[in-house]
Amino acid sequence: MIKVILADDEPLALTLLQHMIDWKRFGLTLCGCAKNGDELYQMIFEQNPEIVITDIRMPGRSGLEIIAKTLEAGLPTRFIIISSHTSFEYARKAIQLGAEDFLPKPVSRAELVKTLNIVLEKLKAPESQEESCRKLIQTAKGYIESNFEKHLTLESVASQVYVSASYLSTLFKKETGVNFSEYLTNVRMENAKRLLREAQYTIAQVAEMVGYKDVKHFSSVFQKYYQVSPSQYRK
């Protein structure tokens, strides 16, 4: 039997979820109900369920952290997210981290059945772990590309995707072929070229706009990358 865990901090919503589906008819066994994020996290690592149906925002451990840590641990758990309108952005991030789908509250039986059938089909012909890893790396890359001008570290980006720095480092190299710092530098240099083509910015301004406080260091990196200095490139 395929194991399912339900989680919601609203007792009535949790009870409705329990009785909404004839679990045995779907070949499922309901092996736990969690009332907060900490309970859910513990249950996942004790029960190793194939499916988790959970509210995305509950007291205790973050739902996003639970999804990412489950992926990091290599568990095959698939998440169906339940979300109110106010949690939409949170749910979108969960999808980026590998959640299967999100259902708006109040959850309708028809929508839950439809989503369960899709997940069950995937479990019969499993989507590879690599696909979930690719989603996580795409989220990390998107964050870098939107924030390259800031002081980014492996640790700060890892915290944005709710995994450890060591896991992100290994995964980044595997999925992109370059390490984190190389990717960040490449993003900054590509944007530096774009900005240098705009005459209104000084080289010092361009350096700062792509995350370098020291213009000499910026020029040195640019020279190494493109075999020309920023001022020569601009000409």
Side-chain angles (χ1 to χ4, degrees):
M1 297 284 280
I2 293 171
K3 291 184 287 186
V4 179
I5 289 176
L6 307 178
D8 201 306
D9 62 325
E10 298 176 21
L12 178 59
L14 193 56
T15 300
L16 287 172
L17 271 178
Q18 285 178 262
H19 298 287
M20 189 175 286
I21 299 293
D22 183 349
W23 302 102
K24 287 185 180 179
R25 180 171 167 268
F26 281 85
L28 305 171
T29 181
L30 191 56
C31 64
C33 294
K35 299 183 290 295
N36 58 59
D38 292 334
E39 279 188 13
L40 176 58
Y41 185 80
Q42 184 176 350
M43 283 183 184
I44 288 172
F45 283 85
E46 288 176 352
Q47 302 281 351
N48 194 12
E50 284 83 1
I51 300 172
V52 168
I53 303 171
T54 179
D55 191 347
I56 192 62
R57 300 190 74 174
M58 299 183 292
R61 200 177 291 261
S62 157
L64 296 177
E65 182 183 355
I66 291 172
I67 294 169
K69 291 297 184 187
T70 302
L71 172 62
E72 184 174 346
L75 298 180
T77 307
R78 297 182 181 263
F79 289 84
I80 298 171
I81 301 303
I82 299 169
S83 170
S84 65
H85 269 309
T86 57
S87 301
F88 177 80
E89 180 62 22
Y90 205 71
R92 186 182 67 81
K93 289 180 180 178
I95 297 296
Q96 290 177 336
L97 287 175
E100 296 297 322
D101 201 355
F102 76 89
L103 305 175
K105 282 188 170 183
V107 179
S108 78
R109 184 181 181 280
E111 284 299 315
L112 182 55
V113 167
K114 178 182 175 183
T115 303
L116 272 174
N117 281 327
I118 292 170
V119 173
L120 289 170
E121 284 301 312
K122 288 183 177 181
L123 287 170
K124 290 176 186 175
E127 180 187 35
S128 67
Q129 183 79 358
E130 284 74 18
E131 179 59 30
S132 294
C133 291
R134 278 195 292 273
K135 286 183 180 180
L136 189 145
I137 289 298
Q138 284 301 118
T139 302
K141 286 166 66 176
Y143 181 78
I144 292 167
E145 288 159 12
S146 298
N147 296 276
F148 59 84
E149 77 285 0
K150 298 176 182 175
H151 176 63
L152 296 183
T153 65
L154 180 62
E155 289 75 15
S156 66
V157 176
S159 72
Q160 289 294 319
V161 292
Y162 302 89
V163 298
S164 67
S166 60
Y167 181 73
L168 181 61
S169 176
T170 300
L171 197 58
F172 215 96
K173 181 72 173 179
K174 178 184 174 185
E175 295 293 328
T176 68
V178 297
N179 63 35
F180 167 80
S181 60
E182 288 172 324
Y183 186 83
L184 175 58
T185 301
N186 184 62
V187 170
R188 285 173 166 169
M189 291 298 103
E190 286 297 314
N191 280 279
K193 285 200 303 184
R194 173 178 59 81
L195 292 166
L196 284 167
R197 291 194 288 268
E198 299 181 27
Q200 69 265 37
Y201 301 124
T202 67
I203 290 173
Q205 285 174 323
V206 170
E208 188 164 357
M209 290 166 76
V210 296
Y212 291 88
K213 300 299 182 185
D214 184 343
V215 68
K216 289 184 179 179
H217 179 50
F218 164 71
S219 296
S220 174
V221 174
F222 193 94
Q223 174 90 37
K224 184 178 179 181
Y225 235 71
Y226 299 116
Q227 287 74 54
V228 293
S229 69
S231 57
Q232 288 172 325
Y233 178 82
R234 172 164 272 175
K235 291 175 183 177

